[in-house]
Amino acid sequence: MHATSDARDAWTPASERDASRSLRPGSGNVSGRIHLSSPDIGAEEEEAVLSALRSGWIAPLGPHVDKFESDLAALTERRHAVALSSGTAALHLGLLTLDVGEGDSVITSTLTFAATANAIVYTRARPVFVDADSTGNMNPALLRLAVEDQGNHGRRVAAILPVDLFGKMADHESIRNIANEFAIPVLTDAAESLGASREGQSAGSTGSAAAVSFNGNKIITTSGGGALLTDDGEIAQRARYLATQARQPTRHYEHVDIGYNYRLSNLLAALGSSQLRRLPAMIERRRTHRLMYREIFHEVPGVTVFGGPDGSDGNGPTRDNFWLTSIIVDAQVAGWSADDLITHLERADIEARPIWKPMHLQPIFASSDCYVDGTSESFFECGLSLPSGSSLGPADTQRIRAAIMGFLEGGREK
Ligand SMILES: *Cc1c(COP(=O)(O)O)cnc(C)c1O
């Protein structure tokens, strides 16, 4: 299993942690398992949830939801944010509000978590997969090919759904140009990129709407949650309506649409706002992990840090949120494989995982149309993601460094 979005894998039960350390972000676990991306929860979050609980607003509406929505809209430079129960729900409602439906094609990145493709299937549309460029994000040239080819086969492409992989924004400018040329709306999957930017544009600000996630292993968490971001008041209103069981404004319960129970609880929104306040510090901590891995692998033959260096370590207008740091290993050159390193780290109780298995290689999507050139397949074969969470403290990073150095210095077992 390699789903980095499995919250259970990312979560360390409080009972397994030293209580004096569990509330101090950055101190992490000195011993015990080191996870890829654990929740980073401190005293501020505890207080926020407790105060929301005591306020009496327990339902999935209330002042904390309103506050969290306006905080999110401000951060992502959007007019509207609709807080929802998951990133998957945000993708689902995003597609529905763009009128995606039965038989339509939705073109998305093959290198992503299954939730992106699943949301397309929920609408009875057909996912169409496009390969990655060297950064891991959607290759615009292949997107153009896909749009044209789907059109030639009489398919209606109802939406383009690019994904910002591992905290790096896709080439939204090229994607927007193609989308505009063919008059196709864009829904961005920004589940992994909150807080990132590209050429001055904030993650979540691209497309007719964008979905973000606050799952347990994401850059910030509400334990589970998500949001749909948009500048379009009608999209926001429609999403709110569908997320609250599609109830008509009548005294009795009147329904003319199929609705969903997708709103975020007020308690969790309180958690979200306090996490959001710490987002810059969390990104900075993940950035230091990226720098550590760059330093460790700097002169190791056959190893490249995934995602490319352009702007990703700087403070300029293009910036990762450093959600996950991953490496690509050319086993011929390195003399060892990504899998060897994962196995070695596993023995030291340190979690590392392969990069997403591309959707077009998943049994459930085997019959879907795809426009691929082998790029994401080779990332899957040669890549691994390393522990990157903002809750990792100095003792954790020392353990990780020692384990990797031990491996590189020949301590590896075949
Ligand atoms: C996490 C994730 C999702 C799903 O978000 P949930 O909040 O877990 O439903 C969707 N797409 C991508 C790319 C993700 O990483």
Side-chain angles (χ1 to χ4, degrees), residues 175-200:
I175 293 167
R176 185 185 314 122
N177 289 339
I178 295 165
N180 287 346
E181 187 182 327
F182 292 89
I184 302 166
V186 173
L187 172 67
T188 303
D189 184 342
E192 301 174 3
S193 62
L194 191 71
S197 54
R198 182 173 176 131
E199 280 144 35

Side-chain angles (χ1 to χ4, degrees), residues 5 85-89 91 112-113 115-116 163-164 189 191-192 212-215 217-218 225-226 323 356:
S5 281
S85 53
S86 70
T88 310
L91 289 168
T112 185
F113 178 49
T116 318
V163 181
D164 295 337
D189 184 342
E192 301 174 3
V212 288
S213 165
F214 315 118
N215 189 22
N217 64 352
K218 292 295 180 351
W323 178 53
W356 301 126

